């Protein structure tokens, strides 16, 4: 019985490795318009500058790629760290961006810089010699985010994506 359980676990584990390894990795040029960002700061951003962890996830809207024509959109996850404060940019730092495209392929940008402010946000990085950048505007009014930041602390940052480009 124990040997069967160990063998089953090994098969499931190896099967997971094999299926993950079979996902195609795409480093093609891609341009996307639209999408959203849902970011979370830990701990909350407050008046004084402090270290923060940031996670963000969302979707990339209408995408085009001449090199990978089946890419029509995608979902992403970002994880990073930096500093945050209510005065100045809410968050500045760097992290890793992982994208799963609509055709099932994936792209990972291991080092991407971010900046989130009351009226805009941006990311910039490099992937195998190609520029990776995106920008957008928060969907919450700046005055409301600033008030929240100065009172209980800013924990969430919701935004729309204007453009996302790998070129």
């Amino acid at each position: 019985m124990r040997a069967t359980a160990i063998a089953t676990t090994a098969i499931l584990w190896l099967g997971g490795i094999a299926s993950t390894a079979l996902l195609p990795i795409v480093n093609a040029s891609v341009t996307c318009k639209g999408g959203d960002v849902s970011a979370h700061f830990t701990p909350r951003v407050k008046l004084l500058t402090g270290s923060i962890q940031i996670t963000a996830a969302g979707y990339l809207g209408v995408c085009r790629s001449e090199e990978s024509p089946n890419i029509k959109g995608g979902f992403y996850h970002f994880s990073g760290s930096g500093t945050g404060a209510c005065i100045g940019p809410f968050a500045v730092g760097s992290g890793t961006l992982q994208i799963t495209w609509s055709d099932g392929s994936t792209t990972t940008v291991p080092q991407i810089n971010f900046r989130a402010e009351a009226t805009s946000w941006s990311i910039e990085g490099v992937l195998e010699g190609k520029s990776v950048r995106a920008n957008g505007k928060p969907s919450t009014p700046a005055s409301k985010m600033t008030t929240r930041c100065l009172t209980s602390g800013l924990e969430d940052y919701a935004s729309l994506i204007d453009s996302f480009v790998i070129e």
Side-chain angles (χ1 to χ4, degrees):
M1 179 72 160
R2 181 168 155 68
T4 303
I6 291 171
T8 302
T9 302
I11 290 168
L12 290 174
W13 185 74
L14 290 172
I17 296 278
S19 64
T20 301
L22 294 176
L23 286 176
I25 297 172
V26 171
N27 296 331
S29 296
V30 180
T31 300
C32 302
K33 299 289 183 191
D36 73 1
V37 176
S38 179
H40 182 78
F41 304 123
T42 306
R44 294 176 184 206
V45 174
K46 300 215 174 191
L47 179 61
L48 300 177
T49 301
S51 295
I52 58 167
Q53 299 293 314
I54 181 171
T55 56
Y59 76 95
L60 296 170
V62 180
C63 299
R64 291 188 55 157
S65 173
E66 300 231 350
E67 298 163 75
S68 296
N70 290 330
I71 292 177
K72 305 295 183 198
F75 289 91
Y76 69 87
H77 180 266
F78 173 86
S79 180
S81 61
T83 58
C86 295
I87 309 300
F90 288 135
V92 177
S94 63
T96 301
L97 177 68
Q98 297 174 315
I99 304 164
T100 301
W101 299 107
S102 56
D103 66 354
S105 63
T106 62
T107 298
T108 299
V109 184
Q111 174 78 28
I112 198 146
N113 299 319
F114 68 86
R115 181 180 187 92
E117 301 188 53
T119 57
S120 65
W121 63 268
S122 63
I123 62 170
E124 291 185 358
V126 177
L127 177 65
E128 296 182 7
K130 293 182 180 182
S131 172
V132 179
R133 60 187 186 284
N135 61 62
K137 294 175 185 65
S139 50
T140 303
S143 59
K144 190 172 187 177
M145 284 193 297
T146 302
T147 300
R148 191 177 317 143
C149 193
L150 293 170
T151 55
S152 61
L154 186 62
E155 184 175 29
D156 298 307
Y157 186 92
S159 176
L160 300 175
I161 297 172
D162 289 337
S163 72
F164 175 90
V165 178
I166 299 175
E167 59 181 2

